[in-house]
Amino acid sequence: MDFGAGFAPLSQGEANMALERTFSIIKPDATRRNLTGKINAKFEEAGLRIVAQKRIHMTKSQAGKFYDVHAERPFYDELCEFMSSAPVVVQVLEGEGAIAKNREVMGATNPADAAPGTIRAEFAESVGENSVHGSDAPETAAVEIAYFFSGIELVG
């Protein structure tokens, strides 16, 4: 079959590869320092595509509901206060193995442990103010995406 110049049929392996979506937040410490573009460039350089994005200013109540899984942890109140302290950028990233790839690009939660070149190694100010959040599993990603985006806003 002729697909025209520059086009080739997908191999069976390529046809069966499913794209994955994950949720990401660029946190207040990063938006305050105008790092959104630099952070998004790292996601895109890693092969992730931004399929939904918006800048919002969460209330403490919204942050509390989002981080409800941590409600019993000692850092919960401080986390909610921080996440509602300034605007954040919430977004959906798409790509092959997007959840693992996003976590790799973000780096370890503690910036001192983050690999060179990762977002947290380059931009995080502390363990608490670590510039980005990313989903840790497909189930978590689905819940987190639905918290901030309707289906019509996901434009992959």
Side-chain angles (χ1 to χ4, degrees):
M1 180 176 244
D2 182 11
F3 290 91
F7 291 92
L10 294 176
S11 72
Q12 187 61 32
E14 290 172 313
N16 290 333
M17 287 184 187
L19 292 177
E20 184 175 64
R21 288 183 172 166
T22 191
F23 179 72
S24 168
I25 300 177
I26 299 175
K27 294 181 177 182
D29 60 297
T31 62
R32 270 191 208 104
R33 292 177 289 144
N34 205 27
L35 296 173
T36 301
K38 289 179 180 179
I39 290 171
N40 282 336
K42 287 193 170 287
F43 292 137
E44 291 175 336
E45 288 164 9
L48 296 169
R49 231 167 42 115
I50 300 165
V51 297
Q53 180 183 71
K54 55 188 163 186
R55 184 178 178 96
I56 63 170
H57 195 145
M58 275 194 270
T59 65
K60 192 169 180 187
S61 173
Q62 289 168 326
K65 287 179 186 143
F66 180 76
Y67 286 107
D68 187 57
V69 67
H70 298 302
E72 301 303 316
R73 309 281 297 268
F75 59 82
Y76 175 74
D77 287 333
E78 186 179 348
L79 175 62
C80 294
E81 193 69 43
F82 168 61
M83 291 301 291
S84 61
S85 68
V88 298
V89 175
V90 293
Q91 54 194 10
V92 179
L93 307 175
E94 181 181 82
E96 190 66 34
I99 293 168
K101 179 145 324 210
N102 180 34
R103 296 187 71 74
E104 179 184 321
V105 172
M106 288 190 310
T109 302
N110 183 342
D113 299 332
T118 62
I119 292 168
R120 289 175 173 152
E122 289 190 25
F123 304 124
E125 296 183 313
S126 67
V127 173
E129 295 189 10
N130 60 21
S131 299
V132 286
H133 162 90
S135 302
D136 60 2
E139 301 77 19
T140 311
V143 170
E144 292 179 341
I145 290 168
Y147 188 80
F148 289 103
F149 294 97
S150 69
I152 198 168
E153 293 176 294
L154 304 175
V155 287

